[in-house]
Amino acid sequence: VSMSAIKVEVLNREFLRQIPGANNLMESIDYVNGVQKQINCGVCGTNDIHLNGMEGPYTLVLIDGMPIISALGTVYGLNGIPSSMIERIEIVKGPASTLYGSEAVAGIVNVITRDPKSAPKLFFEGYGTSHGESNLDFAARPQIGKLQGLFSGNYYRMQNRLDSNNDNFTDIPLSQRLSLFNKWTVLRKNNRKATFAAKYYHENRFGGQLQWTNGDVGSDSVYGEYIATRRIEALGSYQLPFSKETVRLDVSGSAHWQDSHYGNTPYLAQQHTGFSNLVWLKSIDRHNMLFGSSVRYTYYDDNTAATPYGADVNVLAGLFVQDEWRPTSKLSLLGGA
């Protein structure tokens, strides 16, 4: 990172562990200059990430370098990335690389998941707060032959209806969420990369009047905002067995379901994404070349006027090339298209 032409801020695992009460991605990045966790709903507590003051949709969130966090995921799913699965967080402010495409106008937040090789064999960590919050992180590292695995999870619960300002509305959204993560690494010759990971996220969230109960979902008698989120993610990376070339295939996919009610207004939505990336790394003299092609698939459907004729399906394919040239030991130039 220190030799790169791109300025990258790195939050390593040791730094994340020193942040009190930081049990997920959103609570970890608040301590970085220029990075802001924006609360978009004072009742239900939805949030997104602002880089250098730009709105959340301009920030691309990656998992192991792959864009599987879709638009719905950035609103409702970022709290489901627990600290127990994070090895480090890389932050790039501003559009700095053709590798990430046009969605990263404000910059990128790249979450690097833990390597099973360095994870502890067994890990538990929990805490509670005076507000009634409770949190549990756990992890285990199994190994089967040449397969090294990591299984981690996070459970968070907040069911205490606080109303310090006596306005008959919850001050902190009630939430109950579970996140499970599993990653496997295959030990191969010449340290070639072969990894597969999957994550499941489940959350029920509520904010509104104190008298609200589950029987009031969709009712106009007592106001409440109830959001149920279900999300599945999978990703993998495989380095092809060429002896002198580094050619890597990356694939990822996600499925996101949203069942929400804002008072008596329902919002039912689903978004599914798929992504594949074929990358060829080539070093020629003082040039570090990057060639590749990518395909991204997006499916979106909801019960609003955004999709009046059924689901919106998009397929986006592209080619990219990038060259990092180091004419001297103190000068580095980066260009791409």
Side-chain angles (χ1 to χ4, degrees), residues 205-216:
R205 182 185 302 198
F206 160 75
Q209 291 182 273
L210 301 182
Q211 299 84 2
W212 189 92
T213 66
N214 289 337
D216 295 315

Side-chain angles (χ1 to χ4, degrees), residues 177-207:
R177 62 176 178 259
L178 173 68
S179 181
L180 300 175
F181 175 74
N182 189 212
K183 183 176 183 180
W184 291 93
T185 297
V186 183
L187 301 178
R188 302 175 62 201
K189 293 182 179 179
N190 301 320
N191 291 323
R192 292 192 181 98
K193 187 176 182 180
T195 63
F196 173 80
K199 183 168 77 75
Y200 172 74
Y201 172 58
H202 174 123
E203 182 190 43
N204 292 334
R205 182 185 302 198
F206 160 75

